[in-house]
Amino acid sequence: GEILTFALAGNQNSGKTTLFNRLTGSNQHVGNFPGVTVDRKDGAIKGHSNTLITDLPGIYSMSPYSSEEMVTREFILREKPKGIINIVDASNIERNLYLTMQLMELDVPMVVALNMMDEVRENGGSIRINEMEELLGVPVVPISAAKNEGIDELIDHALHLAKYQERPRQVDFCSADDERSAVHRCIHAIMHLIEDHAQRAGIPLRFAASKLAEGDQVILEALELQDNEKEMLEHIILQMELECSLDRAAAIADMRFHFIQEVCGQTVVKPQESREHAR
Ligand code: GDP
Ligand code: MG
Ligand code: K
């Protein structure tokens, strides 16, 4: 039957290699991504010979600043895996969720593997998993790759969402009614402007729009906009910069961190809080 392909994506030191080894056992193949000296490791999930998971390089963002980031982006946009397993270091969650938000914009079925939960526990903290799933709009599975905890549940979720193509429930992280509404207007205006181009280029619309808003030249080239459309795009982005008093990259980063702080504020129980609660 059909092969269920997965991308394993996450920040450096999130436990990606440890998880990849847990998922595939000794069933691995090492190669290279075309044109770059970045290792490519593939393997079937053990017990599921109809799967193929690729360990992507560790990155912090989906911007074209490094060959690792480009490799990850090209892999997901071109090879179109059936699912993404996004590993997140729960002990460093705010920083790690920055990549999560960009991965969600790709509109590929995705599960968050919340790793290092043993460390979080040992430090006396906890995370409200159901609330986090609700706010992010993707399944979240707490795991410890090092201690082999939660791996079977993660595999069940990954297989399910790839089989039924369950995509992230939401990708609209900017709000129309707070001080970041200028970012919201900008991204939505760009989506409207580039809709046909994004479809022709095979780039998910929301991903393309927020990348353009950040000033991503590679995506701009790929969309093949007309000169008048490029002028309109620049006008839309300049308007946002003016209203936010931030440059384009900073305005989009600010929007993402604002959303992450909202999510973490409602779901991450810090060690001190849980001790106070226990008293
Ligand atoms: P990568 O850079 O994302 O491939 O991360 P690695 O798999 O190399 O792991 C980075 C470090 O974190 C290593 O020292 C691992 O042993 C450790 N590590 C990975 N998973 C866990 C985990 O679930 N809990 C703890 N405490 N450490 C982990
Ligand atoms: Mg690694
Ligand atoms: K850590």
Side-chain angles (χ1 to χ4, degrees):
E2 189 191 25
I3 299 275
L4 292 180
T5 51
F6 294 94
L8 177 58
N11 290 180
Q12 281 163 32
N13 288 320
S14 59
K16 221 156 41 58
T17 298
T18 310
L19 176 59
F20 183 76
N21 291 339
R22 289 278 179 217
L23 291 172
T24 61
S26 57
N27 176 18
Q28 296 182 10
H29 171 259
V30 183
N32 259 299
F33 289 98
V36 286
T37 56
V38 177
D39 272 359
R40 170 175 179 157
K41 278 197 293 176
D42 302 288
I45 297 174
K46 53 187 181 192
H48 301 276
S49 56
N50 65 329
T51 62
L52 188 71
I53 178 162
T54 302
D55 185 17
L56 296 174
I59 54 167
Y60 285 103
S61 133
M62 297 287 281
S63 302
Y65 300 141
S66 69
S67 48
E68 284 80 7
E69 288 164 347
M70 275 309 280
V71 156
T72 295
R73 185 155 113 174
E74 296 275 294
F75 180 86
I76 297 172
L77 289 177
R78 285 172 201 236
E79 298 202 25
K80 301 196 189 314
K82 293 280 192 304
I84 297 174
I85 298 174
N86 171 217
I87 182 167
V88 162
D89 175 357
S91 70
N92 193 8
I93 192 165
E94 297 206 1
R95 181 156 195 203
N96 277 238
L97 286 177
Y98 194 78
L99 176 62
T100 301
M101 291 181 65
Q102 298 171 69
L103 291 170
M104 285 193 283
E105 288 184 335
L106 290 163
D107 201 30
V108 174
M110 183 168 117
V111 56
V112 168
L114 200 54
N115 193 35
M116 313 251 184
M117 284 304 291
D118 60 307
E119 207 172 289
V120 170
R121 247 184 354 248
E122 237 163 69
N123 293 335
S126 63
I127 292 170
R128 298 186 184 109
I129 300 294
N130 291 342
E131 283 89 334
M132 182 164 283
E133 284 187 329
E134 196 55 41
L135 292 167
L136 291 179
V138 294
V140 177
V141 182
I143 69 166
S144 167
K147 303 206 161 170
N148 204 15
E149 293 170 4
I151 306 300
D152 289 341
E153 198 192 345
L154 175 63
I155 293 173
D156 286 347
H157 271 85
L159 294 176
H160 180 90
L161 61 83
K163 190 169 170 196
Y164 297 104
Q165 286 297 290
E166 287 176 3
R167 291 163 205 285
R169 207 188 55 234
Q170 63 143 348
V171 291
D172 201 10
F173 308 111
C174 51
S175 163
D177 50 44
D178 65 9
E179 71 266 35
R180 286 162 193 83
S181 63
V183 175
H184 179 87
R185 282 195 302 277
C186 172
I187 290 178
H188 286 266
I190 296 175
M191 284 168 72
H192 186 70
L193 179 70
I194 65 165
E195 196 167 3
D196 296 344
H197 293 271
Q199 194 172 10
R200 248 177 279 140
I203 304 174
L205 180 58
R206 170 71 190 206
F207 180 78
S210 62
K211 283 291 141 196
L212 286 186
E214 282 183 303
D216 190 308
Q217 295 301 309
V218 180
I219 296 288
L220 179 62
E221 294 269 306
L223 290 174
E224 298 183 331
L225 300 184
Q226 319 256 304
D227 284 346
N228 66 323
E229 291 168 326
K230 283 186 188 164
E231 275 166 33
M232 238 186 289
L233 174 68
E234 189 58 23
H235 175 79
I236 292 167
I237 300 172
L238 284 172
Q239 187 64 31
M240 173 190 72
E241 290 183 317
L242 194 67
E243 287 179 46
C244 296
S245 304
L246 290 170
D247 72 44
R248 55 198 68 190
I252 301 303
D254 174 72
M255 177 272 289
R256 292 202 181 110
F257 280 119
H258 177 75
F259 179 80
I260 289 169
Q261 276 166 5
E262 292 275 305
V263 170
C264 291
Q266 294 183 49
T267 59
V268 177
V269 185
K270 299 259 162 56
Q272 206 184 333
E273 289 164 8
S274 52
R275 270 200 296 277
E276 276 165 14
H277 190 72
R279 249 183 243 146

